[in-house]
Amino acid sequence: MHAAEMAEEFPVVDMDSDALDAARLLAEHRLPGIVVTDRSGCPQSVLPASEVVRLLVPTYVQDDPSLAGVLNESMADRVADKLGGRKVSSLLPDEPTELPRVNSDDTIIEVAAMMARLRCPLVAVMRDKTLLGVISASRLLELALAPR
């Protein structure tokens, strides 16, 4: 099976999209992450949901998790405030990471190897410079574990 056959339609956002809208998209669709494109629609990065979740927790609590028990849950309510007025590009790491992308004719093993190497739950499936869709880790597992 080739990547083009495994790819699914998947929401994408561009670098200039509203960060709060992107977070809502992640939440509403229970996505592990979302592909971020440039203005031309070419994938540039993946924004993992875990990066957005980090905004729920102040840095000092991330540094010392034992402090989490003393915070009330209203701290989590402020995530919308933290995202308001920001662009998706501001949520991405300063150091660009390798974009998880595979070619449309890559095999299931090649896709799995890319996900494993980059520890990313999503890969963009490309044919030349065109995004065909996305393969999630759960989709890959579904196909790998299917009876033959």
Side-chain angles (χ1 to χ4, degrees):
M1 180 174 288
H2 293 107
E5 300 167 90
M6 294 182 274
E8 299 178 296
E9 284 188 33
F10 209 83
V12 298
V13 295
D14 69 43
M15 295 276 199
D16 294 327
S17 294
D18 181 76
L20 184 55
D21 290 342
R24 286 187 175 124
L25 192 61
L26 286 164
E28 289 168 9
H29 296 281
R30 297 182 180 188
L31 301 173
I34 195 162
V35 174
V36 181
T37 65
D38 62 17
R39 289 185 181 157
S40 70
C42 185
Q44 297 298 307
S45 186
V46 169
L47 174 62
S50 59
E51 279 299 308
V52 180
V53 168
R54 288 177 51 135
L55 294 173
L56 294 171
V57 182
T59 306
Y60 63 89
V61 176
Q62 291 177 39
D63 293 340
D64 184 0
S66 67
L67 297 173
V70 300
L71 296 176
N72 62 33
E73 295 204 8
S74 68
M75 293 293 291
D77 296 338
R78 295 187 198 153
V79 73
D81 295 338
K82 291 179 182 178
L83 292 172
R86 292 176 70 178
K87 294 182 179 185
V88 167
S89 58
S90 72
L91 302 179
L92 298 172
D94 293 333
E95 289 290 319
T97 57
E98 183 179 349
L99 173 68
R101 101 177 49 188
V102 295
N103 295 316
S104 61
D105 61 349
D106 284 353
T107 66
I108 193 167
I109 297 300
E110 290 171 307
V111 173
M114 174 67 73
M115 282 182 178
R117 185 171 65 80
L118 297 179
R119 296 178 186 219
C120 189
L122 302 173
V123 295
V125 178
M126 306 294 295
R127 180 173 291 130
D128 299 319
K129 293 185 178 185
T130 303
L131 175 65
L132 299 180
V134 172
I135 302 171
S136 66
S138 57
R139 170 78 171 147
L140 186 117
L141 286 171
E142 172 189 39
L143 294 168
L145 297 171
R148 297 185 196 241

